[in-house]
Every structure is written in C-alpha cells, then in structure tokens.
RNA sequence: GGAGAAGUGGCCGAGAGGCUGAAGGCGCUCGCCUGCUAAGCGAGUGUAGGAGUGAAUGCUCCUAUCGAGGGUUCGAAUCCCUCCUUCUCCGCCA
C-alpha cells in the first residue's frame, strides 16, 4: 500500500512511477485523490462536533455535581450526537472506499527496474557453461519416472492433475537441499523458521496477495483461512503490528514450508512433470531492514541465491524484471534462471523482491531507535531453494547416460552415507 | 468440541458511567546533587489521524485510542452484543 499523503503531496511523481507498470496502475489515482479530499472534509466536520460534545458533556458533568439543571444542554447534545452519527456513517463509507481503492494500487517502481513488459526484462549476466552432452539428455520426468522417484499418475489419482508423489532418492535429495540451504543461511544471520501455512486474510492482504491474486489461493472456507503460496506470507506477518528495535536490524529469517498455488490461468502451461505443480516445498529468505538499506539488502539476497546455484554447479542467468512484469508489492525484482538442457533455455528457479515499505505499511511493521518516531521498515523476500525446480535442474544437468543422476559435491554430506548416484 | 476465567501505557498494576490519556510502582530520558558507583531530588516519557503555523529539526490546537468491531447514553476503560487471543478443567488427538 502506498502512503495516501505521498499520493496527495506528490501526485505527479506517483503517477510517473506507477505508469511504468502500465495504464491500469494509474487508473484509480484521480478517484483516490477525490476520496481523500472528501474524507478530510468530513473528518474536520465530525471532529469539530465531537470537540463540542466533549466540552459540553464536561459542563453537564459539572452541573450535575452541583445539582444544577442541565436538561437544555443534554437536549442540545442529543441533536449533536445525531449529527455526529450521520457524518460518521458517511465518513465510514468514504474511508472504506478509499481503503479498497488504495489496496489495489501497486507499489511504486524502482527506477532501476527496466521500463516495459515481460519482454523488456533485462538479462544482466550469465554464470557457468551449459554442459555438452555426449548422449541425448532426458528430461526430469524421463529420468525420475522410470526410477520411480516421481509418480504423476498416482498423484493425479489421489489429488488431481499437477500433484505428484516424490519418492526414494528424490526425497533424500530434497532434504539434503533443505539442510544445505538452512545451514548456509543460518551462517549468514538468517534465523530458521517453520511457519504456519494456513493464514488469515489479514496476512494475505498485508503481504499484497489480496485483493489482487485471490484466484491463485486455496481457501479453506470453513475456517476463513488461506493456504500460502510461499512462506513469504507468514514470515512477513511474523512482526505484524510490531515496533522493532532499530539496533536489531536487519532482522533476517529463513523459512521452510510447503507452498500451495492454484495455478489458475496456467492451463496447458508446463504440464509435464513437477515443474509447475499445485504443491511444492521451498526454502525462503525474508528480511526486515531499514529503508535506506534495502537496495543493499536486495543485492545481498541475490548474491546468496547465486552462491547456492554456483555451489550446486548449475549454470544460470540473472534477470532484472521489467516494471510491467512486477508483482504488486515489488518495487524491483531479480530472477535467477537455471539452464535446463532438455528445454535448451534458462528457466526461473529463484526470485527476490524488494517490496520497500509496501507490505510494512499494510502490516504495520515498524522500527524505532533511541530517539525519534517509529518508521516503516522495508521488506524483502527471496527464494533460497525452490525444491521442485532445483531438483529438476540437478537431475537434468547431472544425469548420466544410464539414467542415474550424479550428486553435486556440496550435497554429499547431507545424503545417506555412500550414496554416489541417485535413482540407481 | 463442551464448561469457566481473563485481556488497561515499554513492563507490573489501580480504576467499576463524568473531575481518567488513564492513580501508584518499575523502566527509560534530561537536569540537580554526592570522591566514583549506588542511593536521593526535580522534570519529562505511547501511537495514529486532522487543522493551523514556520525555510526547517519543529511548534500550537483538535480528534481517536484501555484486545477488535458494533450498541446503549448528553457522556463508556467502566453497561450490553459479536469476534479475536490467553489461561484452567473435561473430551479428542500427532
């Protein structure tokens, strides 16, 4: 959410920063300004009347104590009370409307995010060299299917399409990756957290997934809860309504959770294997930091993501996402895309976003120093390891001609002793 | 799931329709004082919104805020309703 005061005081700047996302992003600005004006007018009116009522009520109290007659004043205040109620009712409507509009407005874009849509995202650089195969490489499902490490058919029978059973060595691989990631992140000051994956609407609104992305979310109607699509949601909400101690910043967490996505609108896209499924597990980092440090923190997160892929020996490219392709809460986003030999292209495996104060304003996460007033923090999130996609990349890049999969050296300590290949 | 109890400032804790933004204590900040420290004395110390004013750190005033939201009343921390959270007991369960 943007600060209404910023929109009020610097409408041209706001309009310019938002229009880089496309025309839809600025559509509501005039309405917003008009509603804000109405709201403030009503506020002045109602506050004047409340002030009057407060002072006269005080006089009534004094009169009663002195055993004097106050019936005229009481009568007058009864009328004022009715007027207050009338204005309050209209004010409430205007505020609700203002809030609803404001919730739809995406974050301002960072000037270093490229202008334009998806096709304008900028490949910043590449790392590593895609492997030259002396045989025809198989895709992840051709590798893991015959070895009975991925079972799509039974996943579909149990839960429907885009659900899978992962079995055997793939399960060991997943937990090895989790251990590897958690230990690396812990050593960099990120506190490991296992989060609730069912969250209230507040958490979804607070992180900016609601009201715009409701169709992507599994909702448990009976309890008014939502299954999270990423542990970003419960991690961001971890300090909702809190004022953190400035000296503790940055506050960094690494979460591990299952993630649930309806993938509405993705019909027919990435239908093979586990590249795009309704449920997957992910190790996610999250940071609350001082406003003037978030760019630095964003680069730090990207460097961690790169370190993970480099440690795993997976060739990748880093992409600076264009303004028009950013999610609503993000001011700037980097994706890392790993090389998939059978698709002969780079595919997204991690993503990290600087949400500036957009989520913090909604969630009311602030910090305060020795002196001065509380201020909103900046929030950042980034994928450490998206387990499904990272395992796909490992399988495809590390495959042997016989269909087994070699193990990246850094994972060996986290796999069962003596396991040299997966799926053998 | 059933039955009870409770939620007050950074913390503890009083208050039970008006004189309460909230006693008292602790903590914290500033000042005074005392060889140092401790103690003592004095003052200050929540958040948000709005109006006015200034070049500006700001200042003045108003409004709201005693878990959240409604209601009763001229007036609600205090009375009523709904919800949330915590605790105790019973049931169930990994």
């Amino acid at each position: 959410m943007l600060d209404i005061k910023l929109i009020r005081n610097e409408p041209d700047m706001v309009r310019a920063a938002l229009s880089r996302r496309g025309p839809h992003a600025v559509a509501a600005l005039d309405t917003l300004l008009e509603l804000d004006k109405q709201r403030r007018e009503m506020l002045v009116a109602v506050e004047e009347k409340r002030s009057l009522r407060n002072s006269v009520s005080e006089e009534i109290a004094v009169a009663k104590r002195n055993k004097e007659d106050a019936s005229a004043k009481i009568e007058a205040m009864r009328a004022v009370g009715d007027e207050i109620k009338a204005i309050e009712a209209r004010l409430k409507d205007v505020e609700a409307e203002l809030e609803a509009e404001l919730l739809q407005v995406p974050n301002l874009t960072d000037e270093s995010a490229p202008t334009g849509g998806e096709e304008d995202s900028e490949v910043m650089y590449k790392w590593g060299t895609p492997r030259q195969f002396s045989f025809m490489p198989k895709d992840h499902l051709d590798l893991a299917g015959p070895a009975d490490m991925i079972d799509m058919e039974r996943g579909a029978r149990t839960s429907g399409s885009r659900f899978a059973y992962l079995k055997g060595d793939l399960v060991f691989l997943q937990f090895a990756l989790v251990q590897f990631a958690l230990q690396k992140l812990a050593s960099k000051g990120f506190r490991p957290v296992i989060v609730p994956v069912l969250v209230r609407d507040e958490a979804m609104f607070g992180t900016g997934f609601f009201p715009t992305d409701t169709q992507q979310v599994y909702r448990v109607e009976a309890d008014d809860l939502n299954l999270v699509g990423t542990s970003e949601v419960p991690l961001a909400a971890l300090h909702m309504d809190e004022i953190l101690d400035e000296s503790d910043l940055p506050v960094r967490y690494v979460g591990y959770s299952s993630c649930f996505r309806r993938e509405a609108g993705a019909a027919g896209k990435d239908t093979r294997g586990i590249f795009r499924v309704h449920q997957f597990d992910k190790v996610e980092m999250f940071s609350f930091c001082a406003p003037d440090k978030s760019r630095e923190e964003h680069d730090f997160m990207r460097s961690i993501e790169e370190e993970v892929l480099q440690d795993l020996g997976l060739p990748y490219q880093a992409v600076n996402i264009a303004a028009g392709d950013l999610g609503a809460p993000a001011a700037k986003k980097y994706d890392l895309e790993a090389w998939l030999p059978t698709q002969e292209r780079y595919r997204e495996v991690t993503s990290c976003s600087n949400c500036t104060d957009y989520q913090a304003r909604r969630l009311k996460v602030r910090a305060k120093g020795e002196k001065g007033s509380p201020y909103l923090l900046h929030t950042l999130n980034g994928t450490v390891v998206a387990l499904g996609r990272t395992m796909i990349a490992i399988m495809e890049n590390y495959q042997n001609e016989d269909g087994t999969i070699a193990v990246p050296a850094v994972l060996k300590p986290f796999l069962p002793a003596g396991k040299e290949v997966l799926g053998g």
Side-chain angles (χ1 to χ4, degrees):
Chain A
M1 189 156 72
L2 300 183
D3 185 358
I4 186 65
K5 285 189 210 160
L6 183 71
I7 300 175
R8 185 192 305 153
N9 297 331
E10 299 186 55
D12 296 336
M13 184 279 282
V14 170
R15 192 176 299 275
L18 285 178
S19 62
R20 299 177 67 230
R21 288 176 177 271
H24 65 281
V26 292
L29 283 185
D30 289 328
T31 314
L32 225 43
L33 287 167
E34 176 56 29
L35 286 169
D36 175 53
K37 187 162 160 262
Q38 286 179 25
R39 171 180 166 267
R40 280 181 297 142
E41 283 167 5
M42 288 180 189
L43 210 50
V44 170
V46 79
E47 285 185 356
E48 269 172 13
K49 289 192 191 299
R50 283 206 277 240
S51 181
L52 174 69
R53 184 179 66 184
N54 285 348
S55 59
V56 175
S57 288
E58 184 55 44
E59 292 170 22
I60 292 169
V62 172
K64 290 238 172 169
R65 244 173 280 137
N66 297 338
K67 305 270 193 276
E68 292 164 7
D69 175 45
S71 55
K73 282 176 174 169
I74 289 176
E75 194 53 43
M77 285 311 101
R78 191 168 293 156
V80 170
D82 290 344
E83 287 165 22
I84 290 172
K85 270 188 188 147
I87 303 174
E88 276 175 346
R90 285 190 290 132
L91 180 62
K92 207 174 144 191
D93 287 346
V94 168
E95 284 185 332
E97 216 179 315
L98 181 66
E99 171 85 359
E101 290 290 341
L102 210 47
L103 282 173
Q104 306 256 20
V105 179
N107 200 359
L108 301 179
T109 53
D110 190 281
E111 59 269 25
S112 62
T115 304
E118 193 176 353
E119 63 286 353
D120 298 299
S121 291
E122 175 204 338
V123 176
M124 301 161 71
Y125 48 80
K126 297 179 195 299
W127 181 91
T129 312
R131 173 181 164 194
Q132 294 300 313
F133 285 88
S134 56
F135 56 92
M136 184 65 82
K138 293 177 176 147
D139 79 7
H140 75 276
L141 193 56
D142 283 336
L143 292 162
D148 194 28
M149 297 194 295
I150 293 178
D151 188 339
M152 300 305 296
E153 291 76 16
R154 292 193 179 92
R157 188 173 67 193
T158 303
S159 302
S161 65
R162 294 198 194 275
F163 283 95
Y165 286 93
L166 305 186
K167 308 181 197 169
D169 285 349
L170 213 50
V171 175
F172 287 120
L173 178 61
Q174 165 153 331
F175 282 101
L177 280 163
V178 170
Q179 262 308 342
F180 165 71
L182 288 177
Q183 292 193 15
K184 178 183 284 289
L185 272 284
S187 77
K188 294 179 188 291
F190 290 77
R191 184 145 207 254
V193 183
I194 289 173
V195 298
V197 294
L198 281 166
V199 302
R200 293 215 174 110
D201 291 345
E202 291 166 83
M204 298 303 290
F205 276 103
T207 43
F209 288 91
F210 284 0
T212 44
D213 285 327
T214 48
Q215 75 287 346
Q216 292 302 338
V217 175
Y218 285 103
R219 185 168 169 77
V220 181
E221 208 58 58
D223 295 288
D224 288 330
L225 291 169
N226 308 282
L227 275 166
V228 299
T230 162
S231 42
E232 170 194 346
V233 175
L235 288 175
L238 184 55
H239 291 299
M240 177 159 55
D241 294 320
E242 292 183 24
I243 298 176
L244 306 183
D245 193 328
E246 188 174 71
S247 62
D248 293 335
L249 301 178
V251 174
R252 293 166 171 150
Y253 294 107
V254 55
Y256 170 66
S257 78
S258 292
C259 304
F260 304 89
R261 302 185 180 181
R262 295 189 63 236
E263 297 296 346
K269 208 162 138 189
D270 300 314
T271 50
R272 193 170 157 77
I274 60 166
F275 188 86
R276 187 180 299 278
V277 281
H278 291 307
Q279 177 193 331
F280 61 97
D281 294 341
K282 187 153 68 88
V283 179
E284 176 87 0
M285 55 187 155
F286 196 92
S287 179
F288 298 90
C289 79
D292 60 337
K293 296 283 198 306
S294 68
R295 283 197 172 87
E296 217 176 286
E297 189 75 1
H298 196 200
D299 288 334
F300 176 55
M301 280 192 172
R302 194 189 71 217
S303 77
I304 292 172
E305 296 182 354
E306 293 193 38
E307 191 179 315
V308 169
L309 292 183
Q310 290 177 14
D311 284 355
L312 293 173
L314 297 172
Y316 65 88
Q317 64 181 19
V319 182
N320 184 6
I321 300 298
D325 202 29
L326 291 171
K332 182 174 183 179
K333 178 164 94 164
Y334 299 118
D335 280 2
L336 297 185
E337 301 175 341
W339 177 256
L340 292 191
T342 61
Q343 297 192 16
E344 295 187 308
R345 59 172 174 150
Y346 291 94
R347 297 300 309 267
E348 179 184 341
V349 285
T350 74
S351 174
C352 71
S353 298
N354 183 356
C355 296
T356 63
D357 61 7
Y358 189 87
Q359 296 178 325
R361 180 167 294 107
R362 292 175 175 225
L363 291 164
K364 296 193 190 65
V365 185
R366 294 175 295 170
K368 188 175 179 304
E370 294 270 311
K371 293 189 160 63
S373 307
Y375 53 90
L376 292 169
L377 291 171
H378 281 193
T379 59
L380 303 99
N381 64 82
T383 317
V384 184
V385 188
L387 291 151
R389 290 195 180 180
T390 303
M391 292 195 291
I392 290 173
I394 290 173
M395 285 189 273
E396 293 207 1
N397 284 284
Y398 279 81
Q399 62 181 291
N400 299 315
E401 192 162 11
D402 65 358
T404 60
I405 292 141
V407 176
V410 292
L411 295 182
K412 289 216 170 112
F414 305 110
L415 284 164
K419 191 166 279 294
E420 297 299 327
V421 294
L422 306 176

